Amino acid sequence: MAGAFILGCEGPDLSAREAAFFRDADPWGFILFARNIDTPDRLRRLTSDLRDAVGRDAVILVDQEGGRVQRLGPPFWSDWLPPLTQMQRARDPERTMFLRATLIARELRDVGIDVNCTPTADIAGEATHPFLLNRLYGTTVEQVVARARANADGCLQGGVLPVIKHIPGHGRATADSHLSLPRVTAPQAELSASDFEVFRQLADLPLGMTAHVVYADIDEAPGTISPAILRLVRQDIGFAGLLMTDDISMGALPGDMASKCRQSLEAGCDVVLHCNGQMPDMEVVAATCPALTDEGMRRADRALQDRRPPVELDLDAARAELASLIG
C-alpha cells in the first residue's frame, strides 16, 4: 500500500538515487515545481520516470493557478492572468474560469500531469495578504463558489483532478504562511457563514488541501495539525475527499519535520505534502509517515475514479472564446 505522503524531486531529470529512494518509499504521488520544468519532451520523460519508479500510475501534481503561481509557462505553455484580475475583467467570470481551467488541464495532461492544485476557494478581503490576494476568485461566498465550481469542472473536463484549497479558509489571514503562522480571530459563527460556507458548498470535490492558519476561536493549533479544525472539516463542512496538508515544510508550522508529519496525520489529514525535493527532508517524511490508512485508501480510490480522459474540445475555439470574454 502506498505511503501517506506526496514528494517532489530536485530537478528536471530523475536521478538514480531519487528513483531508488522512491521505489522503496512508495509515495502516493509526486508534485512538480518550476525547478522540474524544461521542455515538453523532458517533462514527459520525468513524469514517466516518476511513475516507473513506483511501478504504478501514481498521481502527479502541480500548482498551475495562473498569474504568479504557474510552474509551466512560455515559450512552451500558455501564460495566464492572475485569477482575480481575470475575474474582474471578464464579461462572464464563470465561463472564463471554466475555459481557463479546461485549457490548463489539456496542457498538463499532455506532459503527464494529472492533478492541478486549484481551485483556490478562499474569499478575498481587504486584509488578505498580498501573497494570496490576486490568486483568489472573488469577495463573496456566491462569487467564489460559482467560480471555483467552474474551475473544478474545467479541470475534470480536461482530464485533471482538482484540489480545493485552503480548507477551511485562508482569505482572512494577514501573514504569508510560507514564512510565518497566520492567526485569524473572527468568531466561529462568522467564519461558518462565510469562509467555511464556501467549502461546505464544494465539499463533494475529490481532493482537498488544508490551511496552515490558526482559527483562534476554535483552537490555538494551526488548522493542518488541529484535530478540532479537521473534525470541523469532516463533520460540519462535510468534506469527504482525500485531505492533504499544505506543504509541510512551510514556515507556518512549528516543530521539526517528523513531528509536523505525525501531528498532521494524527489530527486527521490523509496525506502529507512535502514539496522542496530535498533528500534529507524526504527521508524523514518517508520514515515517519505510515502507509495510507484503510479510510485514506478508500478516499484515494474514490478520487482516482474521477481521473478520466479529456472530453473532446475544439481548443482553438475555446481559446478564442476565452479571449473574447476577457477583452
Side-chain angles (χ1 to χ4, degrees):
M1 187 180 293
F5 50 95
I6 296 166
L7 299 176
C9 57
E10 189 174 31
D13 302 300
L14 191 66
S15 70
R17 182 189 181 199
E18 288 173 324
F21 170 70
F22 292 147
R23 182 170 55 251
D24 293 338
D26 196 18
W28 183 67
F30 301 95
I31 187 164
L32 302 181
F33 283 82
R35 65 179 184 266
N36 307 118
I37 311 302
D38 186 28
T39 65
D41 283 345
R42 197 173 183 186
L43 183 51
R44 290 186 195 101
R45 183 167 64 247
L46 175 61
T47 56
S48 177
D49 287 347
L50 287 168
R51 292 185 169 111
D52 286 347
V54 293
R56 56 187 164 80
D57 189 17
V59 293
I60 298 180
L61 298 74
V62 76
D63 291 294
Q64 190 74 351
E65 300 175 8
R68 183 171 55 83
V69 181
Q70 53 182 349
R71 314 307 185 191
L72 292 74
F76 300 110
W77 298 279
S78 302
D79 199 15
W80 303 95
L81 288 170
L84 192 58
T85 300
Q86 179 172 311
M87 296 300 92
Q88 292 165 342
R89 292 185 185 180
R91 287 189 287 113
D92 183 341
E94 288 76 30
R95 179 64 179 169
T96 66
M97 183 55 78
F98 172 81
L99 291 168
R100 168 197 183 104
T102 303
L103 291 168
I104 289 173
R106 297 299 179 113
E107 292 189 336
L108 299 182
R109 275 291 294 244
D110 179 62
V111 291
I113 299 169
D114 56 6
V115 179
N116 193 7
C117 297
T118 95
T120 309
D122 310 305
I123 298 176
E126 292 181 0
T128 304
H129 192 279
F131 100 92
L132 184 63
L133 180 61
N134 217 18
R135 298 163 57 191
L136 305 184
Y137 301 169
T139 59
T140 69
V141 171
E142 294 74 20
Q143 287 176 345
V144 176
V145 168
R147 297 164 186 181
R149 177 67 69 183
N151 179 291
D153 289 346
C155 287
L156 292 166
Q157 290 274 312
V160 164
L161 294 177
V163 181
I164 188 171
K165 61 186 186 185
H166 305 84
I167 300 175
H170 207 307
R172 294 175 189 257
T174 59
D176 182 349
S177 54
H178 294 87
L179 305 175
S180 59
L181 178 59
R183 180 180 173 85
V184 170
T185 58
Q188 182 174 350
E190 183 179 331
L191 292 169
S192 183
S194 56
D195 306 58
F196 299 173
E197 178 61 20
V198 171
F199 292 97
R200 200 174 283 122
Q201 295 189 39
L202 298 166
D204 59 298
L205 293 179
L207 300 169
M209 182 184 293
T210 65
H212 297 335
V213 175
V214 168
Y215 307 91
D217 195 38
I218 304 171
D219 192 5
E220 285 296 331
T224 299
I225 60 173
S226 166
I229 293 298
L230 297 189
R231 279 196 302 272
L232 181 148
V233 167
R234 293 299 191 190
Q235 297 173 12
D236 179 14
I237 291 175
F239 180 72
L242 186 81
L243 186 63
M244 67 185 73
T245 71
D246 202 348
D247 180 9
I248 204 71
S249 61
M250 288 164 62
L253 294 183
D256 59 28
M257 186 60 63
S259 66
K260 290 189 286 189
C261 291
R262 283 193 296 268
Q263 287 176 312
S264 61
L265 294 174
E266 289 168 359
C269 294
D270 295 309
V271 173
V272 168
L273 175 64
H274 182 272
C275 296
N276 67 27
Q278 296 175 7
M279 185 62 73
D281 272 3
M282 295 196 298
E283 289 172 340
V284 174
V285 173
T288 304
C289 297
L292 278 163
T293 64
D294 290 344
E295 182 57 36
M297 184 56 71
R298 284 191 288 270
R299 290 172 180 145
D301 289 344
R302 284 198 302 269
L304 294 179
Q305 289 173 11
D306 289 333
R307 188 174 58 168
R308 303 187 183 101
V311 174
E312 186 175 346
L313 178 70
D314 184 329
L315 296 177
D316 289 337
R319 292 188 188 101
E321 182 185 357
L322 177 60
S324 71
L325 289 171
I326 295 173

